[in-house]
Amino acid sequence: MPDTPLTPAALRAFAFRTLERQPSLQAALNAQGFVQADPIRAPARAQDLTLFQRVRGYRAGDLERLYPGLDAEEDMLPNYGFVTRPVQALLHPREPGESRAEREHQGLLAEVRAVVEERGEVHPRDVAGAVGRGRVVNAWGGQSAATTRILDAMHRRGEVRVTRRVGGVRLYGPAPHLAALREAPLPEAERVRRAVHLLAALYGPLPEASLGYLVSLSHYGLPHLRGEMRAAFRTAVREELTGAGVDGLRYVWPAEWNVDEVRAPRGVRIVGPFDPLVWDRRRFEHLHGWTYRFEAYTPPAKRQFGYYALPLFQAERAVGWANLKVEGGELRSEVGFIPGVRETAALRKGVEAELERYRAFLGLESEGRQG
C-alpha cells in the first residue's frame, strides 16, 4: 500500500511506468510479455507504435524484420499480438474446438497438414494452390481461402507457428516447441495465475473491474480455462495484488511495485490507440477527465477525433490527440486539444519534438512539412 493516499495525478504518473525505455527490442518484449497487433498503418502498425515508445532508435517495421531472430511468437492472449515463448507456454496446449472452416470442409485439415509437413515453411497462397478449395467468410466479414482459414485454425491450436511475414502475409511452419508443451504442459493452476499477473503488470495500475474485463477477453488465449481464469482473478485481487481506492474506484497492481517511488514524467508523448497506457478506456476517462474513442470503424461524419487519433500527453496528463499520416514522403499532422488546454510555447515545442521523433521512426526527412 502507498504511504500516502493516492490521487488521480499520482495514478497518472504511476501508469507512465509502462513507457520505461528498454535497451533493446528483445528487452522490451521481455518486459511486456505481450504486444497487441493491428494491421492498420496510420502512420504505422499498432505493434510498431507501442515498441517505438519503449525502444530507443526503433524504426517502423523492425519487429517484422527482426522477428525470425527474436524470442517472439505471434499468438493471442486478450487480443492477437506478439508474445515471448515463456508467455506462450502459459497459453498451450490450447483447446479451441473445431473451427468453421473445418466443419464446412471435411478432410481439408489433413490435406493442409500434409503440405506443411512436406514443405516445412508455407505461404498461404502456395497451400491454396496445392490443395484448392473454396472461400469462406473470415473473422472480419471478408472472404479468405478455406486453406488459409485452416492454417489459422492450426496456428491457434499450436500445430504450426508463424515463421515470418512477407509483405505483411503470415508464413507458417512446424512448431516443435508447442508439440513439446502438448506432451508436458505446465500445471493449469500455474498457467492461469501467471496469465492474470501478466495482465495486471502489463496494463496496471488499473481498476479491478478492468482487470476482470481483460481476464474475460483472455478466453481467446485460454479458451478451455475460462472458469480457472476467473478463479485465479478472484484470488489475485483478494490475496496477491496490491490495491487502493481512488474516487471510489478500486485500483490494483502487482504487489512488488512501489507507487511512492514514482516520478512525474516530462515532455510530450503521442502514443498508439492500443498502447497499454491508454488501452483501458475506463481508467483513461477517470484519470484524464475526458472520453477518448478509437474511431477507425466509425462513419466519418460521426467522428470526433479522427480515423486513427493518437492520444497526446503533456507530462502525465492526456491533453489532446494527433492524426498522423505520410503523404509524398512527408509527415502530415492534425493536432487537437481538449477544452481548457492552453497551447503554450512549451507545449508547441514539445509537440514538434515528438513529431520529429516520429519522422525518424518512419524513416522520413527531418524537415517534413506539416499539414
Side-chain angles (χ1 to χ4, degrees), residues 324-334 351-371:
L324 307 179
K325 60 182 177 180
V326 177
E327 289 184 344
E330 297 179 354
L331 181 65
R332 309 282 187 175
S333 65
E334 294 180 358
V351 169
E352 182 50 45
E354 181 72 345
L355 293 177
E356 191 65 22
R357 289 182 60 237
Y358 265 86
R359 293 187 188 100
F361 161 64
L362 296 166
L364 304 176
E365 294 295 330
S366 62
E367 296 301 321
R369 181 165 55 88
Q370 294 303 294

Side-chain angles (χ1 to χ4, degrees), residues 103-136:
R103 293 193 300 271
E104 294 182 353
H105 300 273
Q106 296 294 320
L108 185 56
L109 173 62
E111 297 178 55
V112 173
R113 186 183 289 138
V115 174
V116 175
E117 291 174 351
E118 175 189 352
R119 303 189 183 186
E121 183 182 74
V122 297
H123 190 293
R125 179 186 57 233
D126 297 332
V127 176
V131 176
R133 301 296 174 94
R135 306 182 75 80
V136 297

Side-chain angles (χ1 to χ4, degrees), residues 16 19-22 43-44 48-60 266-272 275 311 313 324 331 349-368 370:
F16 253 76
L19 292 186
E20 181 180 354
R21 292 292 176 84
Q22 300 295 332
D48 287 323
L49 293 170
T50 296
L51 291 166
F52 158 56
Q53 293 292 351
R54 292 162 175 81
V55 183
R56 194 176 303 279
Y58 186 88
R59 299 293 182 264
R266 297 179 178 180
V268 170
R269 303 289 282 273
I270 299 173
V271 304
D275 193 288
F313 288 78
L324 307 179
L331 181 65
K349 182 178 179 181
V351 169
E352 182 50 45
E354 181 72 345
L355 293 177
E356 191 65 22
R357 289 182 60 237
Y358 265 86
R359 293 187 188 100
F361 161 64
L362 296 166
L364 304 176
E365 294 295 330
S366 62
E367 296 301 321
Q370 294 303 294

Side-chain angles (χ1 to χ4, degrees), residues 65-79:
R65 180 174 61 83
L66 299 173
Y67 174 86
L70 294 169
D71 172 7
E73 297 286 338
E74 294 198 28
D75 213 317
M76 59 185 68
L77 184 51
N79 305 99

Side-chain angles (χ1 to χ4, degrees), residues 288-311:
H288 301 286
W290 57 284
T291 301
Y292 162 70
R293 296 183 178 88
F294 178 66
E295 299 177 324
Y297 304 109
T298 300
K302 296 183 178 181
R303 290 174 186 156
Q304 178 181 355
F305 305 110
Y307 171 70
Y308 203 81
L310 311 180

